[in-house]
Amino acid sequence: MRVVLSGAAGFIGCHLAKRYLDDGHQVIGVDNYRTGSRDNIAWLSRSGAFEFLEHDITRPLKVPGAVDLVADLACPASPVDFGPLGVEILRVCSEGVWNVLELARAKGAVFLQTSTSEVYGDPEVHPQSEDYWGHVNPIGARSVYDEGKRYAEALITAYHRRHKLPVRIARIFNTFGPRMRLDDGRVVTNFIRQALAGEDLTVYGDGSQTRSFCYIDDQVEGLVRLAAADYCGPVNIGNPDEIPVRRLAEEILELTGSSSKIVEKPLPADDPKVRRPDISLAKKLLGWQPRVSRTEGLKRTIDFCREVLPRD
Ligand code: UDP
């Protein structure tokens, strides 16, 4: 296949691109480096089958030649980006998605969108299955991302209905692993960084809020299977192993052997209280379920952080 992959410099984007390259496909990575890393592109560029286009997808995207799959992973995704990059997030989820959809339509390619568990907002149904419509504050602190991704799902579905475009929508739940951006404020990297530096681990609120963390290799396997499936509705891709944030802090202290303390900081506005995917659909449709335990995934992520963080 010839794959166009936007967001190739980002965490999940670079891993998905690497997987397609390893499977013998050609990948044209697209990124504007707004939150992605040049190091991830350098990693992919070791393969002769990788090409890179520095481009902002809110502008029309032209790619010569045949394309079989357009995979859209371009969007700042960390809660710390929601304030400073709010308008950029809304633009990439609207004009950006529109441009990559147009590319897929022009090429007769399959279109894969990475949507998010954030479409469920602060959920009143637990666990979340794809038929739950969500509980989102349209003007809240997270709304740029939640509503942006909801709009993108609506646009993609409208393209499917009007143009018969074969679309795939993955609703991704908290994913972690090597090559995460270490300074993007996410809980896994914050806690690991803090534990390794001997600093206090900052639990927001009382830490009773839950998340369900999926290791990157499992996430990529789910995305690859979904892209190849003949199903145009949303599919949850995540690990249902749910954990309170405070317990995650304790696990990271145990795994790093750190003697850092846990301290409480104010809970950000609209922080979802619970989150766990119902993955029955992915199991049935894709024969997929996560294989890597949180402990194993955390160990690999800690090793990565030890390698890349400056010593002393
Ligand atoms: N969190 C925390 N300490 C941190 C960073 C995050 O307690 O240093 C909490 C955050 O409030 C949320 C959860 O951890 O409840 C997951 O946050 P993250 O930003 O990783 O992802 P989210 O699921 O909120 O998008």
Side-chain angles (χ1 to χ4, degrees):
M1 284 197 301
R2 198 151 177 263
V3 180
V4 171
L5 194 150
S6 59
F11 163 51
I12 302 180
C14 78
H15 281 281
L16 184 62
K18 180 73 166 59
R19 167 66 186 269
Y20 280 125
L21 292 167
D22 289 348
D23 286 354
H25 303 295
Q26 279 178 277
V27 176
I28 302 159
V30 181
D31 208 294
N32 67 352
Y33 286 129
R34 179 61 82 130
T35 54
S37 120
R38 286 173 199 276
D39 188 50
N40 290 340
I41 295 300
W43 181 54
L44 297 172
S45 299
R46 288 186 216 154
S47 162
F50 181 73
E51 283 171 65
F52 181 62
L53 216 57
E54 187 169 342
H55 178 84
D56 182 333
I57 60 163
T58 60
R59 287 185 289 114
L61 177 60
K62 296 259 181 290
V63 175
V67 175
D68 305 287
L69 171 68
V70 175
D72 179 34
L73 292 95
C75 186
S78 174
V80 297
D81 298 327
F82 298 169
L85 297 180
V87 172
E88 287 79 0
I89 289 171
L90 285 165
R91 288 191 63 195
V92 79
C93 289
S94 50
E95 294 149 79
V97 171
W98 186 70
N99 283 321
V100 282
L101 276 169
E102 277 296 295
L103 177 70
R105 187 162 82 94
K107 301 290 182 184
V110 170
F111 182 84
L112 169 71
Q113 167 74 351
T114 45
S115 189
T116 170
S117 56
E118 290 277 341
V119 300
Y120 302 122
D122 188 6
E124 291 164 310
V125 168
H126 194 65
Q128 295 77 52
S129 55
E130 292 82 354
D131 55 6
Y132 175 49
W133 292 354
H135 178 224
V136 171
N137 175 354
I139 56 162
R142 305 171 84 95
S143 68
V144 292
Y145 190 69
D146 299 10
E147 296 290 19
K149 289 287 186 178
R150 287 164 69 95
Y151 172 86
E153 286 197 11
L155 181 63
I156 290 158
T157 305
Y159 259 66
H160 170 62
R161 290 188 181 130
R162 176 171 301 180
H163 302 297
K164 308 279 174 275
L165 189 73
V167 301
R168 316 283 179 252
I169 301 172
R171 289 188 179 154
I172 291 180
F173 285 66
N174 297 66
T175 303
F176 73 104
R179 296 191 174 270
M180 284 184 91
R181 222 172 91 201
L182 295 187
D183 60 351
D184 81 350
R186 288 296 184 67
V187 70
V188 170
T189 41
N190 267 12
F191 286 173
I192 294 177
R193 252 192 324 106
Q194 290 161 343
L196 294 179
E199 293 167 8
D200 293 342
L201 270 61
T202 52
V203 164
Y204 299 162
D206 64 5
S208 61
Q209 72 272 31
T210 67
R211 293 294 185 274
S212 305
F213 295 95
C214 184
Y215 188 65
I216 183 67
D217 292 1
D218 286 328
Q219 182 62 241
V220 164
E221 180 65 32
L223 292 175
V224 167
R225 288 189 192 209
L226 177 61
D230 185 15
Y231 185 80
C232 295
V235 181
N236 289 338
I237 307 284
N239 189 326
D241 187 6
E242 182 183 10
I243 184 177
V245 163
R246 177 174 281 272
R247 179 66 203 128
L248 176 74
E250 291 163 358
E251 274 189 14
I252 289 177
L253 288 180
E254 286 156 23
L255 291 169
T256 52
S258 166
S259 51
S260 290
K261 292 185 186 40
I262 295 175
V263 296
E264 288 184 12
K265 296 273 177 190
L267 188 68
D270 295 343
D271 199 283
K273 287 178 270 309
V274 290
R275 185 183 286 159
R276 169 156 61 102
D278 177 332
I279 58 165
S280 315
L281 182 61
K283 277 186 180 163
K284 192 170 121 218
L285 198 69
L286 314 174
W288 172 87
Q289 61 180 10
R291 303 264 169 227
V292 181
S293 69
R294 186 175 56 248
T295 306
E296 179 54 32
L298 285 174
K299 283 185 187 161
R300 294 184 203 170
T301 312
I302 291 166
D303 287 347
F304 162 76
C305 292
R306 281 206 165 102
E307 260 171 51
V308 297
L309 284 170
R311 279 156 227 266
D312 88 270

